Amino acid sequence: MAQRSFCGIDVAQGPPGRDGVAGGVVLVGRQRRGRLGVEASGGYERGVVRALLAAGMSVRQINPFKLCQFAKACGVLAKNDRLDARMIALFVATMPTRSAQRYAAVERLAEIVTARRQLSDDKVAAENASRLFEDAALRRLYRGRLAADIALLDKRLAEIVAGDAMLARRYAVLVSMPGVGPVLAVTLLALLPELGQMNRRQVAALVGVAPYDFDSGRLNGMRCIWGGRAPVRRVLYMAALIACRCNPELRAFHDRLAAAGKKAKVVLVAVMRKIITILNAMLRDDASWIDRSIGRHIAPAA
């Protein structure tokens, strides 16, 4: 049996390209079962991962927080580039990981979605600051200075989705659900490409809306959510507020939990979890909300 090899790559800041990973590709190129780990570094790792995948390598993209906790569990408290690469390799060799996948249209979508979120945050900050201005014209100018840029990004997002058959189909399935608008749909396409490939528990944990126990002996602590992809969760939160008003099924679900005495935020998180699990099932089955509703009502009683 061929010996399995593991390699860790610590990516530095700067625009990485194929030349920067040529040595790593040559190092493991002859090991067909070789597995490489790359720590997510805020986008700096994209060029490395793209080059390695193009070379036919098996690449794992590692969550920085998990890697940090893994290093502490191994008793490694020091930090330098060589040690980081060694811990990445050990993480890949020890822990279950998933192969990295790259889709050019999704990468472009993710870049624009991130830029749009940053501009939206700036717009909110500008609107709050403009309340102190006494000049009405200045207030209008200050509040509207980023709106045009956001609208331009929205147009670009629509063009990317419409220009890719796979994204266009997934987008149509997502927005068929009442309460899911263009912003949530493109955010899920860009930042949660795994949607439709997981079970309901996995997708809830990945977004960060899965309740975790806090029990020990006779102690029954409060369940709480933790971790997950915060940018996705932020948009999902706003979508849940809207869905509780315009989606009859989710509104009934919300009212039932509220009538049972659940706290308002607990109810809203439950609605968020229900939305993402339903969307996950819709993409998995390639079925729109209308098809799903018809199928539920015409099914014979058990």
Side-chain angles (χ1 to χ4, degrees):
M1 181 179 295
Q3 183 179 3
R4 184 185 292 272
S5 62
F6 302 95
C7 178
I9 301 177
D10 184 39
V11 181
Q13 291 188 3
R18 292 181 180 270
D19 295 338
V21 298
V25 173
V26 172
L27 177 64
V28 298
R30 296 180 181 178
Q31 294 286 345
R32 295 185 178 181
R33 302 183 63 189
R35 185 179 299 174
L36 295 91
V38 179
E39 181 183 8
S41 304
Y44 291 108
E45 78 286 352
R46 292 176 186 170
V48 174
V49 174
R50 192 180 301 116
L52 291 171
L53 291 176
M57 299 292 100
S58 177
V59 184
R60 303 304 199 262
Q61 192 163 315
I62 310 302
N63 183 295
F65 179 79
K66 291 183 178 180
L67 181 63
C68 179
Q69 298 300 310
F70 178 79
K72 291 180 180 179
C74 293
V76 177
L77 302 181
K79 178 177 174 59
N80 56 60
D81 294 343
R82 187 180 297 275
L83 188 57
D84 288 347
R86 185 179 303 169
M87 294 310 303
I88 293 172
L90 185 58
F91 185 98
V92 173
T94 307
M95 306 298 294
T97 54
R98 184 181 302 175
S99 298
Q101 297 179 351
R102 284 298 182 215
Y103 193 65
V106 172
E107 287 188 353
R108 293 197 301 271
L109 209 64
E111 290 180 348
I112 300 177
V113 165
T114 301
R116 187 192 188 281
R117 183 180 71 249
Q118 294 168 347
L119 285 180
S120 296
D121 292 342
D122 292 343
K123 182 173 180 290
V124 172
E127 290 176 348
N128 292 336
S130 67
R131 296 176 183 176
L132 302 176
F133 300 153
E134 297 183 2
D135 190 295
L138 183 59
R139 285 199 302 269
R140 288 193 300 269
L141 177 64
Y142 207 69
R143 289 177 179 179
R145 65 190 182 95
L146 295 174
D149 294 335
I150 295 175
L152 184 62
L153 292 183
D154 287 337
K155 181 180 178 181
R156 181 57 184 150
L157 288 170
E159 291 174 351
I160 294 176
V161 171
D164 186 279
M166 184 273 288
L167 290 179
R169 174 57 187 169
R170 288 169 64 86
Y171 179 87
V173 171
L174 291 173
V175 296
S176 68
M177 179 179 182
V180 177
V183 176
L184 177 59
V186 296
T187 300
L188 294 176
L189 292 176
L191 305 182
L192 195 65
E194 304 93 340
L195 193 63
Q197 304 172 20
M198 300 172 288
N199 60 43
R200 60 187 181 87
R201 291 184 178 86
Q202 290 173 329
V203 71
L206 193 58
V207 175
V209 292
Y212 291 106
D213 298 344
F214 190 73
D215 300 338
S216 179
R218 296 182 179 180
L219 170 66
N220 292 320
M222 293 182 60
R223 276 40 178 173
C224 61
I225 61 174
W226 188 88
R229 300 182 182 176
V232 175
R233 192 167 56 253
R234 286 177 56 183
V235 181
L236 186 61
Y237 177 88
M238 300 304 300
L241 292 174
I242 297 173
C244 288
R245 297 194 298 268
C246 69
N247 188 312
E249 180 177 333
L250 294 174
R251 182 170 63 245
F253 176 73
H254 173 278
D255 294 344
R256 185 167 64 252
L257 293 180
K262 301 294 183 181
K263 295 182 179 179
K265 188 158 290 186
V266 172
V267 174
L268 191 58
V269 171
V271 173
M272 294 167 62
R273 185 165 60 251
K274 193 172 185 64
I275 290 174
I276 201 64
T277 53
I278 291 176
L279 292 176
N280 183 66
M282 290 167 60
L283 287 181
R284 180 198 62 206
D285 301 334
D286 193 25
S288 68
W289 176 265
I290 297 177
D291 295 335
R292 178 177 176 276
S293 300
I294 294 175
R296 184 175 65 250
H297 286 101
I298 65 176

